[in-house]
Amino acid sequence: MANSRKSSSNLAERVADALSSVVPRGSSLLLGLSGGVDSVVLLHLLAQIFPRFSWRLRALHVHHGISPHADEWALFCSELCAQLSIPLQIEHVDITPLREMGIEAAARQLRHAALARQEVDFIALAHHRDDQAETLLLQLLRGAGVRGAAAMPRLKLRHDAASLLRPLLEAGRTELEAYAREHGLRWVEDDSNRDVSYPRNFLRHRVLPLLEQRFPSYRTTLARSASHFAEAATLLDELAAQDAIVALEDERLSVAALRQLSEARGKNLLRYFLQLCGAPIPDSSRLAEMLRQLCCARQDAQLCVSWRGWQLRCYRGYAYVLPVVSPARDFSIAWRGEAEVALPGSHGVLSFTPATGRGISREKLAEGQVLIRARHGSETLQPDAARPRRTLRNLLQEHGVPPWQRELLPLLFCADELVCVPGVALAAGYQAKAGEQGVVLGWRQAVI
C-alpha cells in the first residue's frame, strides 16, 4: 500500500466536463477497478461527480488469481467501495486455458471479456496520457497500421456492448499520483509492474526515462500523434463506407466490386467488411492474402480462408464472413406453439410469428405432430401444387443458399412431411389461405 500528500488540481471538474458531454443523465456507468492508483483516483472522482448527473455508478474488480496478493487486492477494493457506498462486483477468471498467449495478454483478454459481459451503458477505464504514449510505441513496434497507431480513444461507441470511456487520457501519471496524495488515498502496488520482461514495463522503466531526457514533452507529442492517426483512421472508414455502398449487399461483399479497387483501397474495404461482421482483424500479411485469393478466384470458386475461429468464404461471386460453426449430427424437436425455439449446436433460433392469410396454415399443422429437424440430404418438397415435387438440394441451389448454410438450416415437418424450409420454400398444401390464421417461420443463425 502507499499513502502520501501533495498539491491538488481541478481534475474533478475536468473529468466532469469530459463525461457530461457524452454521458446522458441517468446512464449506468461501470468502473474497471484494479486497486492501482489510476483506478482508485478515477473511483474517487466519479464518486464525487455521479450524483450531480443522476448517473448510476458501480465497479467491477477482475480477480485473475495470478499474484499471491490477488485476494488482498480484492479485499482492498471491497473495503474501498464500501467506504464510498459504491456497489462492487468481483469476478474470478482463470487464465490457464489462455496461457499460450502470455500472461499479460491472457489477463487483458479475460479482463475485457468480463467487462463486456456487464449490462451497463458505459464502462469507464482509468487509462491516462502515459498509458497512451506507451500504447502508441508498442503498437508501432509491432508494425501496427493507422488504426493500431491511433492507440486508445477517449470515447469508443459500441452498438453490441457498453461504450468505453477514458476520461483521464488528458492527465499524466504524476498528476494522478499528486491527486491521490493530496486526498489521502490508498492503493495497491502490483509487483509485476516492475518486471521488465513484459514489453510495456520495459518501455516504461528502461526506454521512456531515456527518451524523456532528450524529449521531455514526449507524452504530449505522442498523444497528439495518436490523435492524428485516429483522424486518418476515421477518413479510411469514411472511404470504406463509400465503397461499401456499391460493394456490400445483404451482409456479403461483391468480389467484382472489390476487383475494381486499387490494392490499398481493396484492403481497406475488406478490413471494414470484416469489422462490420464482428470478425477479428487479421495481420497485414493474412489480409493481403485474403484479398489476393478473392481477386484471383473463379466465378464458381468456393474458397475458404480460416483465422482465429472465423472463416472468409466465397460463393457465386460474393464473399461471406462467419464464425467457424459445427452442425449438429441430428436433432428432432417437437413444436408446441412456442414463439421461439432454440436449436442445438450452431443451428440458431427458429421463430414462429402469427399472421393472417399468409405463412403456414395453423389448421393444417394441427393434423399431425410438428417437428423441427436437421437436414438429412434426401428431402423433397412441393412448393407449387401445379408442378412436381422438388428436391431440397435443387431448391437450395436455386435460391442461392451458400453450401455452409445448407447443413445448418432447420426444417419443419408435420406428420413426417416436409412443410417448410425457412426463407426458401413452403409446401403448397400447407399455405394459409386468405383470412386464415397462419404462422410465418423465421430463422436466425447462431451468433458466436
Side-chain angles (χ1 to χ4, degrees), residues 52-53 171 190 226 322 332 398:
R52 191 192 315 175
F53 302 101
D190 187 346
L322 61 152
S332 181
E398 184 178 290

Side-chain angles (χ1 to χ4, degrees), residues 56-136:
R56 288 165 287 134
L57 176 65
R58 61 189 179 91
L60 174 71
H61 175 77
V62 179
H63 187 304
H64 300 97
I66 302 171
S67 170
H69 304 293
D71 290 338
E72 297 174 30
W73 299 341
L75 178 60
F76 168 78
C77 290
S78 296
E79 294 174 345
L80 177 61
C81 287
Q83 292 169 10
L84 296 171
S85 299
I86 303 297
L88 173 70
Q89 176 182 343
I90 297 176
E91 184 156 340
H92 291 74
V93 297
D94 180 12
I95 72 163
T96 304
L98 301 178
R99 274 192 177 272
E100 62 182 19
M101 299 174 56
I103 292 178
E104 188 178 30
R108 181 171 58 250
Q109 179 168 315
L110 290 171
R111 186 164 59 250
H112 288 176
L115 289 166
R117 286 193 294 270
Q118 307 306 310
E119 295 185 1
V120 293
D121 299 320
F122 295 90
I123 295 172
L125 302 173
H127 296 124
H128 48 73
R129 189 168 55 202
D130 294 68
D131 294 325
Q132 184 77 307
E134 294 164 6
T135 299
L136 172 56

Side-chain angles (χ1 to χ4, degrees), residues 170-183:
E170 302 300 320
R173 181 180 288 115
T174 55
E175 182 179 5
L176 299 184
E177 291 174 348
Y179 178 95
R181 287 192 294 269
E182 177 174 356
H183 290 84

